[in-house]
Amino acid sequence: MFNITSGSVRVYKLLPDGRRQITGFLFAGDFVGLATGEDYAFSAEAIEDATLCRFRKSDYRALIRQAPALESALLERATHELAAAQNQMLLLGRKTALERVASFLLNLPEDPVRPASDGLVRLPMTRAEIADYLGLTIETVSRVFSRLKTTGVIRLVSLHELRIEQPDRLAALAEGEG
Amino acid sequence: MFNITSGSVRVYKLLPDGRRQITGFLFAGDFVGLATGEDYAFSAEAIEDATLCRFRKSDYRALIRQAPALESALLERATHELAAAQNQMLLLGRKTALERVASFLLNLPEDPVRPASDGLVRLPMTRAEIADYLGLTIETVSRVFSRLKTTGVIRLVSLHELRIEQPDRLAALAEGEG
DNA sequence: CGATTTTTTGATTGCTGTCAATTTGGGTGG
DNA sequence: CCACCCAAATTGACAGCAATCAAAAAATCG
């Protein structure tokens, strides 16, 4: 089990022919490998320089014995991840490309370095990673970004940083009310 | 929190315009509402006659104090659900209609009444529910069923019961190797 | 057994994927 | 510091899978 100290990590699954689904992006503070023993059948890779804190299974067990409250906290985290997973299933199963990208942008964590950055979000991942997270192709992601840009909803500061100019319109688009 | 004693339950989320994504089907033995306190923002309904066992939050807490091992068990369950959710994200984001239906059929629990039923599976849910679970329309689900039927992979015993005639071919189809 | 809902089947549309060509950006070495 | 190179991203043309619209068939229910 790992705890991310800094940086970003992607968790994903593959099909035999190479199709990839990224099931989540993890950031500082998040845990990787909540599985308690069995084989979990997913992969994880850093998408930028990252530092992790590793727990051995034996150490983990000792820690639990020593501080049972830790297990409650982990259960709560797992529950939150489960809720996030359900949201992502709704996105993948029922939302259009525009709605997916809008939802994605709204769920990105605000830059922790500049908390009052007012709509400025960092995109440490590539377009390909965004596409594999949203169940789309890079071309479609790119087209939606362009559309949001020309309609004034967002502004691309750089390839990996953008500003949400109209959060309410973006929120409406995310729920199919645009 | 509830524990299903018998029957089947669907868990789902809705978009404002009515689009529905069923995030899971639960059967006897499964838990509903693993959330430890907060609002979870999903709905659950029985899809056939079902009996549940309810736990109040206070009772739950008392139970945990009395048997801390229970919390470990719940964490493990949540972890399994998380793994299942990741599989479903792969399905919704990257699989074709044929692959989705094939995967769905393989993941159905075998009839517990007749354990040696050899490929006989029960479909307590309607086509509409299957469609909303797989991110498809009822028409597409129906067409795939027909295709699997004419190719001899499955046989429809009745609308809500079918036999998997060629499990290996179905498994190959599920992973895009058909 | 008739009415109504569910499922299946058919015809057509359309959103997103695929294929392809630029354009942009990042990184490296001169 | 700049020019070059390669990878990533954008943009365009077209195709295809699944959605939509529509109708027939089957199943459920009173």
Side-chain angles (χ1 to χ4, degrees):
Chain A
M1 192 160 96
F2 300 88
N3 188 2
I4 302 173
T5 308
S6 73
S8 319
V9 170
R10 62 166 180 248
V11 179
Y12 63 92
K13 288 181 71 78
L14 293 173
L15 285 173
D17 63 4
R19 278 174 287 173
R20 180 177 68 166
Q21 179 64 39
I22 292 180
T23 58
F25 294 109
L26 300 177
F27 305 95
D30 290 330
F31 284 90
V32 189
L34 270 178
T36 59
E38 31 271 88
D39 53 340
Y40 209 158
F42 69 75
S43 309
E45 291 173 3
I47 61 178
E48 60 181 344
D49 289 350
T51 55
L52 307 178
C53 177
R54 186 174 84 173
F55 292 86
R56 295 182 180 286
K57 213 199 296 188
S58 54
D59 294 349
Y60 167 76
R61 292 219 186 85
L63 216 65
I64 292 290
R65 258 196 306 279
Q66 186 180 323
L70 187 62
E71 199 154 51
S72 306
L74 283 176
L75 179 57
E76 193 165 335
R77 256 176 205 271
T79 298
H80 280 126
E81 276 193 56
L82 221 40
Q86 291 183 341
N87 278 323
Q88 193 68 359
M89 286 189 247
L90 176 64
L91 181 151
L92 292 170
R94 289 304 181 206
K95 290 190 180 180
T96 66
L98 177 60
E99 290 161 5
R100 294 183 197 199
V101 172
S103 303
F104 168 70
L105 293 177
L106 289 168
N107 283 329
L108 282 173
E110 292 229 343
D111 196 329
V113 179
R114 278 174 291 178
S117 53
D118 196 38
L120 198 68
V121 293
R122 219 164 50 86
L123 297 168
M125 62 291 286
T126 65
R127 297 289 187 272
E129 287 164 340
I130 295 173
D132 283 350
Y133 179 59
L134 299 179
L136 301 170
T137 60
I138 52 177
E139 292 93 333
T140 298
V141 170
S142 184
R143 273 184 255 271
V144 174
F145 269 62
S146 297
R147 192 135 73 91
L148 290 172
K149 201 172 54 181
T150 59
T151 54
V153 177
I154 64 172
R155 171 189 299 275
L156 285 171
V157 179
S158 75
L159 264 179
H160 292 287
E161 198 165 27
L162 64 83
R163 181 180 298 280
I164 299 174
E165 302 281 8
Q166 305 178 23
D168 13 338
R169 277 192 66 196
L170 196 60
L173 290 173
E175 301 296 315
E177 296 168 333
Chain B
M1 192 160 97
F2 300 87
N3 188 3
I4 301 173
T5 309
S6 74
S8 320
V9 170
R10 62 166 179 249
V11 179
Y12 62 93
K13 288 181 71 80
L14 293 173
L15 285 172
D17 63 5
R19 278 174 289 174
R20 179 177 68 165
Q21 179 64 39
I22 292 180
T23 58
F25 294 108
L26 300 177
F27 305 96
D30 290 329
F31 284 90
V32 189
L34 270 178
T36 60
E38 31 271 87
D39 54 338
Y40 209 158
F42 70 74
S43 308
E45 291 173 3
I47 61 180
E48 60 181 345
D49 289 350
T51 54
L52 308 179
C53 176
R54 187 173 83 175
F55 292 86
R56 293 182 183 285
K57 212 199 297 188
S58 55
D59 293 350
Y60 167 76
R61 292 221 186 83
L63 217 65
I64 292 290
R65 257 195 307 280
Q66 186 180 323
L70 187 63
E71 199 154 51
S72 305
L74 283 176
L75 180 56
E76 193 164 336
R77 256 175 204 271
T79 298
H80 280 125
E81 275 194 55
L82 222 40
Q86 290 183 342
N87 278 323
Q88 192 68 358
M89 286 189 249
L90 176 64
L91 180 152
L92 293 171
R94 289 304 181 206
K95 290 191 179 179
T96 66
L98 178 61
E99 291 160 5
R100 293 183 198 199
V101 172
S103 303
F104 169 70
L105 293 177
L106 289 169
N107 283 329
L108 281 172
E110 292 229 342
D111 198 326
V113 178
R114 278 173 291 177
S117 52
D118 195 38
L120 198 68
V121 292
R122 219 166 49 86
L123 295 170
M125 62 291 287
T126 65
R127 298 289 186 271
E129 287 165 339
I130 296 173
D132 284 348
Y133 179 59
L134 299 179
L136 301 170
T137 60
I138 52 177
E139 292 94 330
T140 298
V141 170
S142 183
R143 272 185 255 271
V144 173
F145 270 52
S146 296
R147 190 134 74 92
L148 290 172
K149 200 173 52 181
T150 59
T151 55
V153 178
I154 65 171
R155 170 190 299 275
L156 285 170
V157 178
S158 75
L159 263 181
H160 293 287
E161 198 166 28
L162 64 82
R163 181 180 298 280
I164 299 174
E165 301 281 7
Q166 305 179 22
D168 11 340
R169 275 192 68 197
L170 196 61
L173 290 173
E175 301 295 318
E177 295 168 334

